[in-house]
Amino acid sequence: MREQEHPQPAEPARDPLRDTVPVEIPAIDDAAPPVPPAERPEMIIVTGMSGAGRSRAADALEDLDWYVVDNLPPQLLPALAGMMTTVGAGVHRLAAVVDVRSREFFAHFMEYLRQVRGAGTEVRLIFLDASDAALVRRFESSRRPHPLQGTASVLEGIEHERTLLAGLKGMADIVIDTSRYSVHELARRVRELVARESDLALRVHVMSFGFKYGLPLDADHVVDVRFIPNPFWVSELRHLTGRDAAVADYVFAQDGAAPFVDGYADLLAPALPHYVDELKPHVTIAVGCTGGKHRSVASAERIGSRLRQAGFEVVVQHRDLGRE
């Protein structure tokens, strides 16, 4: 007798858009956490009066890892914005210096700016200004003519430029009067306005070296640890380096070695954050012994570790290790 066949349950209706992949995939996608949207590309446009500090502002932005383009014709702004990206190693923070030297292109600046913003790029317009007296003094001290001076006086060139830029100044997101600023004060002001917290973090570079190979040219601080007995003269340690625990233990077991190295790191720690205040975000500490293999290496590692514990971002490098 033939067995009775049991009817199979009907398959659910399939959505042709959703079901072009195996059935399990949409469920996995639904369960996956949403991916946060990428940040919008950022553009800063620096403009304003000639002599008000556009070049110094551009330098400050470049120091903050912005990609800077100087004297850009405004008609190229949309194309340049279109090249930016929010992923990978591409340009995602771009600063463009635009000024009256662009001549006929400048008249259409606001149209190009609208195109950039309409494409989804976050744009901030920084306008740099200064008093007539300050601008005249700067042009006289540099002995350079005003870009719009021609055969007229510097002051007439300044007045002509003010007329051209009057409407643009009113539309700026940020106006900075640099009349009483030094170049360093202007850089600090730009950093205050645009820098993220990560941009302002101090980066400490601790480097070991051997005095017999010469002092590092880029050292801000030099520490001499040649007063510590040299592990080179201990046969069991000679072939090792300051990275090896046996060498480090020997070095810091010597009288005064550990207090000196720890005390040096502790002495520097309160002063290091103020380097950023003085527009110096990188500090190099060079630690030297005779050959750069034992004492300096162990000491650099210990200083780096102690400064990390104090909250600093530290990179340790051994310049002459392996050179002997």
Side-chain angles (χ1 to χ4, degrees), residues 94-157:
L94 186 145
V97 181
V98 179
D99 58 64
V100 77
R101 289 176 297 177
S102 300
R103 308 290 181 176
E104 68 273 10
F105 299 123
F106 198 83
H108 306 289
F109 175 82
M110 295 312 301
E111 173 59 30
Y112 300 129
L113 182 59
R114 280 191 291 269
Q115 292 179 28
V116 173
R117 284 176 168 155
T121 301
E122 181 181 337
V123 183
R124 281 176 288 176
L125 180 61
I126 297 179
F127 189 99
L128 301 181
D129 200 0
S131 66
D132 288 354
L135 293 175
V136 169
R137 184 172 62 251
R138 291 170 187 174
F139 277 106
E140 288 181 348
S141 64
S142 67
R143 299 184 179 181
R144 298 188 63 190
H146 188 279
L148 298 183
Q149 179 178 345
T151 58
S153 66
V154 171
L155 186 57
E156 288 174 312

Side-chain angles (χ1 to χ4, degrees), residues 14-321:
R14 294 173 64 83
D15 183 340
L17 294 178
R18 182 182 176 91
D19 297 330
T20 55
V21 295
V23 176
E24 296 84 357
I25 298 301
I28 295 174
D29 290 343
D30 291 341
V35 177
E39 295 181 5
R40 295 170 63 188
E42 297 179 78
M43 176 182 284
I44 289 178
I45 298 174
V46 180
T47 188
M49 297 294 294
S50 300
R54 292 188 306 256
S55 296
R56 187 67 186 101
D59 290 342
L61 289 168
E62 194 166 47
D63 292 342
L64 293 171
D65 203 27
W66 287 71
Y67 187 91
V68 178
V69 181
D70 195 5
N71 194 23
L72 182 75
Q75 66 175 359
L76 297 182
L77 283 172
L80 202 60
M83 297 171 60
M84 290 196 293
T85 176
T86 58
V87 298
V91 175
H92 58 280
R93 295 197 298 175
L94 186 145
V97 181
V98 179
D99 58 64
V100 77
R101 289 176 297 177
S102 300
R103 308 290 181 176
E104 68 273 10
F105 299 123
F106 198 83
H108 306 289
F109 175 82
M110 295 312 301
E111 173 59 30
Y112 300 129
L113 182 59
R114 280 191 291 269
Q115 292 179 28
V116 173
R117 284 176 168 155
T121 301
E122 181 181 337
V123 183
R124 281 176 288 176
L125 180 61
I126 297 179
F127 189 99
L128 301 181
D129 200 0
S131 66
D132 288 354
L135 293 175
V136 169
R137 184 172 62 251
R138 291 170 187 174
F139 277 106
E140 288 181 348
S141 64
S142 67
R143 299 184 179 181
R144 298 188 63 190
H146 188 279
L148 298 183
Q149 179 178 345
T151 58
S153 66
V154 171
L155 186 57
E156 288 174 312
I158 292 171
E159 292 172 348
H160 184 196
E161 187 175 32
R162 282 203 189 282
T163 302
L164 290 175
L165 301 182
L168 185 58
K169 180 180 178 180
M171 301 187 69
D173 299 291
I174 300 168
V175 177
I176 303 176
D177 187 338
T178 69
S179 301
R180 299 181 180 274
Y181 282 8
S182 68
V183 290
H184 301 298
E185 290 168 336
L186 174 56
R188 289 192 191 95
R189 181 58 179 150
V190 171
R191 291 171 69 89
E192 290 171 359
L193 291 170
V194 308
R196 301 171 178 172
E197 186 175 349
S198 60
D199 296 327
L200 299 175
L202 178 70
R203 294 166 179 83
V204 181
H205 183 199
V206 182
M207 175 194 300
S208 71
F209 72 98
F211 276 96
K212 70 178 182 180
Y213 300 116
L215 286 169
L217 295 177
D218 56 347
D220 298 298
H221 300 268
V222 177
V223 189
D224 186 351
V225 294
R226 288 177 293 182
F227 71 92
I228 303 172
N230 194 345
F232 178 84
W233 303 113
V234 179
S235 58
E236 295 85 354
L237 303 178
R238 180 175 300 178
H239 67 287
L240 302 176
T241 75
R243 284 177 166 174
D244 294 301
V247 172
D249 291 343
Y250 175 88
V251 168
F252 298 117
Q254 305 305 310
D255 187 29
F260 174 80
V261 171
D262 293 344
Y264 187 83
D266 294 343
L267 178 67
L268 279 181
L272 289 176
H274 297 291
Y275 279 90
V276 176
D277 299 336
E278 293 303 313
L279 306 179
K280 183 175 173 55
H282 301 89
V283 175
T284 299
I285 303 167
V287 186
C289 64
T290 303
K293 180 179 180 180
H294 296 106
R295 296 165 291 178
S296 63
V297 172
S299 298
E301 292 286 350
R302 189 172 179 118
I303 290 172
S305 176
R306 200 164 182 89
L307 291 177
R308 287 192 194 98
Q309 293 174 10
F312 295 100
E313 180 181 333
V314 181
V315 174
V316 178
Q317 177 190 1
H318 304 297
R319 189 192 73 175
D320 298 325
L321 195 59

